[in-house]
Amino acid sequence: MEMNKRPRRLRTGAGLRKMVRETRMDKSSLIYPMFIKEGAGIEEEIPTMPGQYRYSIDRMPYALEKLQKAGVGSVMLFGIPEHKDACGSGAFADDGIIQRAFREAKKQFPDLYCIGDVCMCEYTSHGHCGILNGEYVDNDKTLDYLAKIALSQVQAGADMVAPSDMMDGRVGAIRTILDANGYAETPIMSYAVKYASAFYGPFRDAAGSAPAFGDRKSYQMDYHNSREAVKEALLDVEEGADIIMVKPAMSYLDILAKVKDEIHLPVAAYSVSGEYAMIKAAASLGYIDEAAIICETAASAYRAGVDLYLTYFAPEIAEFMDEGRIG
Ligand code: PBG
């Protein structure tokens, strides 16, 4: 048969397939999210996220050591405080759970890159991501609090802050307070494109951060929208963001690719708790091959253009990279 173009020619062996691969991934782009809880001796599995744990500060180092051994050098820490109040004061207390966690992590693992999630929902009694005015989250009042939270995390040792609240103008507010306090070199990774998503369900169980009433649709984005993602990303670029995040990942790869086309900053994707939980649940029933699905899902995010990948599967992905299954 006369045929000069045969795409299969480049698929004839594993070595060749790897040589012509379009998407390359490496461990330095992985970020592992972790939950740190008040108390001692705690390492409790999160029921809706099997394989993920809430650690007390004294147990955290064991988990970090394992992570470092796997070759994952970056973490995103979430605090679970004992007490909550209307203005989330635990989020910016000098001796707050997350501040102590950063101090301990940096003391024991100076090379570990520590990122702080800047938000209020784990710390407010009402579970919303800001200060309430009636039942509405007051944007401008919340900005002062977010700025204080970011500063307190950086003062405690966070290498980078990542605001996830979705208030307008928060990147600018955080940049201003960090600069004024001598932290002009501390980067901000903005959860710029964060959708109001049911995929956060297991996280809210893990962190006890579900809103006590209503939902987050007045601040997180409507998932019918795509051009709005570009608008949000560009606004945060203007305000001084260093990295733009899209969240969730799996159902939003069109958004990721579009944002990547429009901006010139590194783009991150957060493969969230619901994505993790679905894979774990289906795998435990024997419906899917867990390792194969983890690899394929991760590669799809990188193929869509992700530069940084936040995922609860970070240690597994690092291992699969070592084994040459992906990468
Ligand atoms: C805090 C925050 C949330 C997540 C990251 N930061 C929860 C939310 O917005 O309700 C979700 C992460 C995940 O589901 O894994 N606002």
Side-chain angles (χ1 to χ4, degrees), residues 49 197-202 246-253 269-282 288 293-294 297-298 300-301 309-313:
M49 300 176 74
S197 168
F199 282 101
Y200 309 149
V246 173
K247 177 185 173 198
M250 193 166 55
S251 295
Y252 296 82
L253 296 183
Y270 194 149
S271 178
V272 299
S273 55
E275 301 177 43
Y276 177 87
M278 289 198 308
I279 293 176
K280 282 304 223 189
I288 57 169
I293 294 283
I294 294 171
T297 311
S300 70
Y309 192 41
L310 293 106
T311 168
Y312 302 96
F313 285 122

Side-chain angles (χ1 to χ4, degrees), residues 78 117 119 121-122 129 164 191 194 199-200 203-204 209 216 220 247 270 272-274 312:
F78 293 93
D117 177 88
C119 193
C121 59
E122 299 109 272
C129 303
S164 69
Y191 287 69
K194 179 174 177 180
F199 282 101
Y200 309 149
F203 175 97
R204 292 176 189 169
S209 64
R216 304 209 199 289
Q220 299 180 349
K247 177 185 173 198
Y270 194 149
V272 299
S273 55
Y312 302 96

Side-chain angles (χ1 to χ4, degrees), residues 31-308:
I31 301 169
Y32 181 63
M34 278 177 74
F35 301 95
I36 313 298
K37 187 180 168 166
E38 285 285 3
I42 299 171
E43 187 172 338
E44 59 192 23
E45 193 168 26
I46 299 161
T48 49
M49 300 176 74
Q52 301 302 310
Y53 298 81
R54 303 182 192 100
Y55 299 99
S56 51
I57 291 178
D58 60 324
R59 302 294 305 166
M60 174 184 72
Y62 302 101
L64 293 179
E65 199 174 306
K66 264 199 260 168
L67 199 65
Q68 281 212 318
K69 279 211 182 99
V72 178
S74 313
V75 288
M76 164 91 90
L77 299 186
F78 293 93
I80 307 176
E82 197 115 57
H83 302 289
K84 305 183 185 223
D85 59 30
C87 67
S89 55
F92 51 87
D94 191 44
D95 63 348
I97 176 71
I98 204 67
Q99 288 74 12
R100 281 184 284 125
F102 281 127
R103 275 191 211 103
E104 191 61 25
K106 291 305 285 188
K107 191 169 100 194
Q108 297 205 32
F109 303 90
D111 297 334
L112 183 73
Y113 199 83
C114 292
I115 306 171
D117 177 88
V118 176
C119 193
M120 304 183 70
C121 59
E122 299 109 272
Y123 301 89
T124 50
S125 40
H126 45 74
H128 278 286
C129 303
I131 302 298
L132 292 183
N133 183 1
E135 294 211 337
Y136 193 71
V137 175
D138 187 317
N139 191 87
D140 297 12
K141 245 191 229 162
T142 302
L143 295 183
D144 294 338
Y145 286 87
L146 294 168
K148 270 202 281 195
I149 297 169
L151 179 61
S152 78
Q153 292 185 354
V154 172
Q155 284 171 336
D159 297 295
M160 179 190 280
V161 285
S164 69
D165 50 280
M166 287 301 277
M167 298 303 121
D168 294 333
R170 92 276 211 205
V171 171
I174 291 172
R175 188 70 274 156
T176 302
I177 200 170
L178 292 183
D179 291 1
N181 284 276
Y183 298 107
E185 303 286 344
T186 301
I188 299 173
M189 171 162 64
S190 175
Y191 287 69
V193 183
K194 179 174 177 180
Y195 286 88
S197 168
F199 282 101
Y200 309 149
F203 175 97
R204 292 176 189 169
D205 291 341
S209 64
F213 61 87
D215 53 39
R216 304 209 199 289
K217 289 181 181 163
S218 78
Y219 39 104
Q220 299 180 349
M221 288 171 59
D222 178 350
Y223 55 66
H224 298 82
N225 297 350
S226 151
R227 284 183 302 149
E228 190 189 12
V230 176
K231 175 172 91 176
E232 283 282 9
L234 290 175
L235 279 172
D236 285 5
V237 172
E238 281 305 304
E239 289 176 34
D242 300 282
I243 298 170
I244 294 294
M245 190 203 294
V246 173
K247 177 185 173 198
M250 193 166 55
S251 295
Y252 296 82
L253 296 183
D254 57 327
I255 305 295
L256 183 77
K258 188 160 175 167
V259 166
K260 175 99 178 190
D261 271 349
E262 299 281 345
I263 64 167
H264 300 102
L265 299 182
V267 175
Y270 194 149
S271 178
V272 299
S273 55
E275 301 177 43
Y276 177 87
M278 289 198 308
I279 293 176
K280 282 304 223 189
S284 76
L285 290 169
Y287 292 174
I288 57 169
D289 173 339
E290 179 171 324
I293 294 283
I294 294 171
C295 290
E296 190 173 333
T297 311
S300 70
Y302 285 83
R303 191 183 63 228
V306 90
D307 298 298
L308 293 164

